Amino acid sequence: MSMTVTDVNQLKQVVHNVIEDTAVTDMHTHLYAPVFGDLLLYGPDELITYHYLIAETMRHTALTYDEFWALSKEEMANHIWQTLFLEHSPYSEACRGILTTFHTLGLDLRTRNLDAYREWYGTLSAAEAVDLVFQKANVKEVVMTNDPFDDEEHHLWLTNGEALKQDKRFHAALRIDPLLNDWDNTYKKLRAWGYDVQPDVTQDEQTVSEVTRFLVEWGRRMEAVYMAVSLPIEFQFPVEDTRSALIERCVVAACRELNIPFAMMIGVKRRANPNLQLAGDMGGRADIQAVERMCARFPSNRFFVTMLSRENQHDLAVLARKFPNLMPFGCWWFLNNPSLIEEITTMRFELLGTSVIPQHSDARVLDQLLYKWSHSRKVIEDVLFGKYRDILASGWQIEQQEIERDAADLFGQNFWRFVRGKKV
């Protein structure tokens, strides 16, 4: 039964309860179902050696890059724990995330005993860890990042594909970064797999047909809910280059045939500091006109887009007002900090109302779901309360059922409607 919300105090409690109770569809992660074996990462050592914490550690440690990378994973975790958690207060978002995760799992943070935390995790199987984390994070389902150009994953899909799709909490997304960002090497892989492709995709119709065939075949094999790519700061569209030709002639056509959106994560600068390996990537402002031209040029296609620059997020929200085939999503990577999530979420709600996907976790380690969604829920709750308070003050009547509807849309239904080609 719906209840009419009549005052601010009641409103605050209702919004809090609804946001906490609403299960999440996490539309972009790097997680895997347990059947993928070692590709699923979880546990203290994986959490603590995540590249966010590596970059932060290297600002403190006396170790050289070579000395650090020579450590085993457990030694790295011990060194990071000592440096960031014991020798300094762990209030950066990456460090606080570890504390939130351990606390949510019931571990005693007063002991600061990393070996004890490892011992507790050692009692869990991968399947038990997934069940526990999903339950405590109130995550209903996630979308994986599935790369057919990764040799291990490619083999798994070809030899055990049906089993990989059995756990319905895990949906596939077809990731195509090597295709669009490293064609000079990727076309050789396609050839080895039996696709008749040539180096110059701009001049050869057979290559266009074969790349499209590859994308459609793998989209169907995975039952992918969208196709995805991470793109560099300098990304432009349309221009006279291989990436642009592949998008226009192959990717867009394949997405139409599969009836799925194309997701673009734009604004990466790889290996700004190569010594940090994966932790050495950064981002910057990209050209929003590339997205504008794509949305205008292909009105029957749908585009999920997030951008790594704070300024681009405003550009993107404004652009989404003009194109219903564009869906902004999440606060990605360096924007996944509470202060920026609050700013970006507020701005999106003010420009786009309820027709956005405010967050995704981008989690690479299973346990990160616990802190990323706990921290984000709190911010989204505060922003929503402020917006409902404003309209309540105008005399508008608010029903609890309407708040529940909005939360369900923001945390899942907007994603699925857009995937299925329906208006949000």
Side-chain angles (χ1 to χ4, degrees), residues 125-145:
S125 68
E128 289 170 336
V130 168
D131 291 344
L132 180 63
V133 169
F134 274 46
Q135 181 265 319
K136 286 189 172 292
N138 198 10
V139 169
K140 176 171 59 176
E141 55 196 340
V142 303
V143 181
M144 304 177 285
T145 294

Side-chain angles (χ1 to χ4, degrees), residues 329-346:
F329 73 94
C331 298
W332 180 37
W333 207 342
F334 305 119
L335 298 180
N336 196 8
N337 292 296
S339 60
L340 295 172
I341 296 169
E342 179 180 11
E343 174 187 315
I344 292 167
T345 303
T346 302

Side-chain angles (χ1 to χ4, degrees), residues 168-296:
K168 299 307 180 183
R169 296 171 297 179
F170 291 84
H171 305 278
L174 175 57
R175 188 68 175 248
I176 58 171
D177 291 41
L179 184 77
L180 297 185
N181 298 329
D182 190 24
W183 173 253
D184 289 345
N185 290 308
T186 301
Y187 86 88
K188 299 171 187 175
K189 275 198 168 185
L190 291 176
R191 275 185 174 178
W193 295 336
Y195 296 91
D196 184 11
V197 296
Q198 302 300 319
D200 188 357
V201 68
T202 62
Q203 300 296 322
D204 188 76
E205 291 300 323
Q206 177 69 14
T207 298
V208 170
S209 176
E210 286 288 87
V211 172
T212 306
R213 178 169 73 90
F214 166 80
L215 293 172
V216 171
E217 286 178 353
W218 275 88
R220 287 176 176 156
R221 176 175 285 118
M222 294 176 173
E223 298 178 6
V225 294
Y226 61 78
M227 204 175 297
V229 67
S230 176
L231 293 163
I233 296 169
E234 61 270 19
F235 172 62
Q236 297 283 330
F237 183 88
V239 290
E240 296 296 323
D241 68 6
T242 299
R243 181 193 289 125
S244 193
L246 285 165
I247 290 174
E248 181 161 14
R249 306 190 68 194
C250 305
V251 173
V252 167
C255 285
R256 277 200 297 266
E257 186 167 344
L258 293 165
N259 192 27
I260 59 175
F262 180 36
M264 294 179 287
M265 293 158 281
I266 306 171
V268 177
K269 182 175 182 180
R270 298 293 183 192
R271 298 175 67 81
N273 181 354
N275 292 308
L276 281 171
Q277 300 185 17
L278 183 61
D281 296 346
M282 66 171 292
R285 188 165 188 174
D287 185 359
I288 192 68
Q289 292 182 84
V291 180
E292 176 189 339
R293 291 167 185 150
M294 203 174 295
C295 291

Side-chain angles (χ1 to χ4, degrees), residues 319-333:
L319 186 64
R321 290 171 60 88
K322 318 304 172 188
F323 292 98
N325 62 335
L326 171 61
M327 173 61 79
F329 73 94
C331 298
W332 180 37
W333 207 342

